[in-house]
Amino acid sequence: MGFALLGLLAQEPLSGYDLKLRMERRVGNFWSAGHSQIYPELARLEGEGMVEHRVVEQQDRPDKKVYTITDTGLHELKEWVTAPVEPGVVRDELVLKAYSVWLADPEKAVTLFRDQQRLHKEQLLRYEEIGAWMEEEWGEDLYRLDSPRFAIYATLQRGISYERGYTEWCAWLAYRLESGVRGGGARA
Amino acid sequence: MGFALLGLLAQEPLSGYDLKLRMERRVGNFWSAGHSQIYPELARLEGEGMVEHRVVEQQDRPDKKVYTITDTGLHELKEWVTAPVEPGVVRDELVLKAYSVWLADPEKAVTLFRDQQRLHKEQLLRYEEIGAWMEEEWGEDLYRLDSPRFAIYATLQRGISYERGYTEWCAWLAYRLESGVRGGGARA
DNA sequence: TAACCCATGTAAACGGTTACATGATTTC
DNA sequence: GAAATCATGTAACCGTTTACATGGGTTA
């Protein structure tokens, strides 16, 4: 989790509250955390010398602690980025449901998977819109390997490929459920 | 987690150890659990009347408890299968790394993503082989909506679409990293 | 004889979610 | 006057992972 915060702070100094807002919107669409995780984690990172903060006083709003990544933190983050990853476990409740779909009423199952197809399709369209916006607004930056915009665009591409795959799978399964056969009857 | 166990027990009675073996191989490729989670969970499910067990004595091996799903358990499982799902958070360490890849040495990053591409490609090929085997061996069953084989095949299809998408994304990113530009230089 | 498989459990640690807690300012 | 935003924290709970624990039988 700490590296998600460091990844954000490597781009710009932010308060815990700012980080919370960005983490709720899902960092790179593939991570998230609530504020109750963020504040203690910032304290931990500061204890390890990865970040430091200064208090910024505000008139109309509560004062805030603005965190900055340190050289140590930046170094650790860089090391971590290219360090090998062990394959993590993927957990997906819908796929687990699919595993027992043979027990279900096919009509209800169709409803479930068509609904999910629609939701993932909507998310796909949102991602594609954002992608088009980035291409227009950020242009050449998307090809600069040392630009954060390139990295943000890269994670968005994974979002697009993920949602496209998910949508297609839902559609495939819903179609099979609609046109399939129950019981010992033959196909064709 | 309980529904993963119920889903397996709906197909056939199994011991805790049998369940452990199947859960390690990832139920439907999208769930897993260790034995330390399974045994207490089975006790909980039995307490709720979802499963029951009888002790099977063996000569050459330790005795075992074989669990069977009850009518209650089967009913609960059926209800759950078509119940709506709240969109869960996807956490992917590699995508989180991609989010900070602009800080990294591009050569090291290429190594990371090419390695991951290869791993996901290999998994894809394994899945596709299994799929081809199922189509050959299970034939018409893959079209019978009330056959467990249909459901297993359906989850495998998600595995295939997932690994294909992942492989393509890794390839896309690695390619960009190989051919990309560093610093303020223009593209083309 | 050492390692591995079968078989079943408990305990500690860890990470994440939900709930508790406070308080000022601004918008409806 | 009520609700939402800004801002920061703690505490309890829950699910998962790792480690501890035992013990007989088989294979290399």
Side-chain angles (χ1 to χ4, degrees):
Chain A
M1 225 287 290
F3 290 111
L5 298 178
L6 290 177
L8 286 162
L9 293 174
Q11 293 181 30
E12 54 181 333
L14 294 166
S15 70
Y17 189 77
D18 294 329
L19 286 163
K20 181 205 114 185
L21 293 178
R22 281 161 180 74
M23 293 290 274
E24 275 171 357
R25 282 160 186 269
R26 299 191 173 89
V27 180
N29 314 299
F30 284 88
W31 210 267
S32 74
H35 78 279
S36 65
Q37 230 188 326
I38 291 167
Y39 291 115
E41 186 71 15
L42 282 169
R44 209 212 73 205
L45 288 170
E46 190 153 45
E48 291 177 1
M50 312 272 256
V51 302
E52 48 191 34
H53 81 271
R54 68 206 149 79
V55 176
V56 174
E57 285 167 41
Q58 298 180 119
Q59 293 81 19
D60 49 348
R61 305 178 179 293
D63 297 352
K64 59 180 175 179
K65 297 180 179 176
V66 174
Y67 287 85
T68 312
I69 194 165
T70 63
D71 290 344
T72 312
L74 206 56
H75 179 77
E76 288 294 307
L77 179 60
K78 279 181 191 172
E79 289 294 301
W80 169 80
V81 169
T82 51
V85 288
E86 345 74 88
V89 191
V90 185
R91 283 203 176 77
D92 189 317
E93 199 188 345
L94 191 67
V95 185
L96 191 62
K97 280 172 189 265
Y99 191 77
S100 293
V101 77
W102 63 284
L103 291 164
D105 170 20
E107 275 184 47
K108 285 183 185 169
V110 166
T111 305
L112 175 69
F113 287 100
R114 286 284 179 215
D115 281 352
Q116 288 293 313
Q117 180 189 342
R118 186 177 43 76
L119 289 171
H120 284 282
K121 182 70 186 289
E122 282 166 10
Q123 187 62 51
L124 173 61
L125 291 174
R126 274 194 293 274
Y127 282 157
E128 284 178 337
E129 268 177 45
I130 295 168
W133 178 88
M134 286 180 184
E135 283 157 20
E136 211 168 296
E137 294 293 316
W138 292 354
E140 297 297 309
D141 283 354
L142 302 185
Y143 291 89
R144 286 192 188 111
L145 303 191
D146 54 2
S147 162
R149 291 179 169 181
F150 160 69
I152 293 168
Y153 185 68
T155 63
L156 182 75
Q157 290 305 313
R158 177 57 193 136
I160 289 172
S161 94
Y162 178 81
E163 297 298 344
R164 186 171 291 145
Y166 217 119
T167 305
E168 284 169 5
W169 176 69
C170 288
W172 173 85
L173 183 48
Y175 175 77
R176 279 241 175 168
L177 287 164
E178 279 167 354
S179 59
V181 185
R182 271 185 85 81
R187 186 165 54 114
Chain B
M1 226 285 290
F3 291 111
L5 298 178
L6 290 178
L8 286 162
L9 292 175
Q11 293 182 30
E12 52 180 336
L14 294 165
S15 70
Y17 189 77
D18 293 330
L19 286 163
K20 181 206 114 187
L21 294 177
R22 280 160 180 76
M23 292 290 273
E24 274 172 357
R25 282 162 187 269
R26 298 191 173 89
V27 181
N29 314 300
F30 283 88
W31 210 267
S32 74
H35 78 279
S36 64
Q37 230 187 326
I38 292 167
Y39 291 114
E41 187 70 16
L42 282 170
R44 208 212 74 207
L45 289 171
E46 189 154 46
E48 290 177 1
M50 313 272 257
V51 302
E52 47 191 33
H53 82 271
R54 69 206 148 81
V55 177
V56 173
E57 285 167 41
Q58 298 181 120
Q59 292 82 16
D60 50 347
R61 305 177 178 296
D63 296 352
K64 60 180 175 179
K65 296 181 181 177
V66 174
Y67 287 84
T68 312
I69 194 167
T70 62
D71 290 345
T72 313
L74 205 57
H75 179 77
E76 288 295 306
L77 179 60
K78 279 181 190 171
E79 290 295 300
W80 169 79
V81 169
T82 52
V85 289
E86 344 74 272
V89 190
V90 186
R91 283 202 176 79
D92 189 317
E93 200 188 345
L94 191 68
V95 184
L96 190 62
K97 280 172 189 263
Y99 192 78
S100 292
V101 77
W102 63 283
L103 293 163
D105 170 19
E107 275 184 49
K108 285 184 186 170
V110 166
T111 305
L112 175 69
F113 287 100
R114 287 283 179 215
D115 281 351
Q116 289 293 313
Q117 180 189 341
R118 185 177 43 75
L119 289 172
H120 285 282
K121 182 70 185 291
E122 283 166 9
Q123 187 63 52
L124 173 61
L125 292 174
R126 274 194 294 273
Y127 283 158
E128 284 178 337
E129 268 177 46
I130 295 168
W133 178 87
M134 285 179 185
E135 282 156 20
E136 211 168 296
E137 294 293 317
W138 293 353
E140 297 296 309
D141 284 353
L142 302 184
Y143 292 89
R144 288 195 186 111
L145 303 191
D146 54 3
S147 161
R149 291 179 169 181
F150 160 69
I152 293 168
Y153 185 68
T155 63
L156 183 74
Q157 290 304 314
R158 178 56 193 138
I160 288 172
S161 95
Y162 179 81
E163 297 299 344
R164 186 172 290 146
Y166 217 118
T167 305
E168 284 168 7
W169 176 68
C170 288
W172 173 86
L173 183 48
Y175 176 76
R176 279 240 174 167
L177 287 164
E178 279 166 354
S179 60
V181 185
R182 273 187 83 82
R187 186 163 54 113

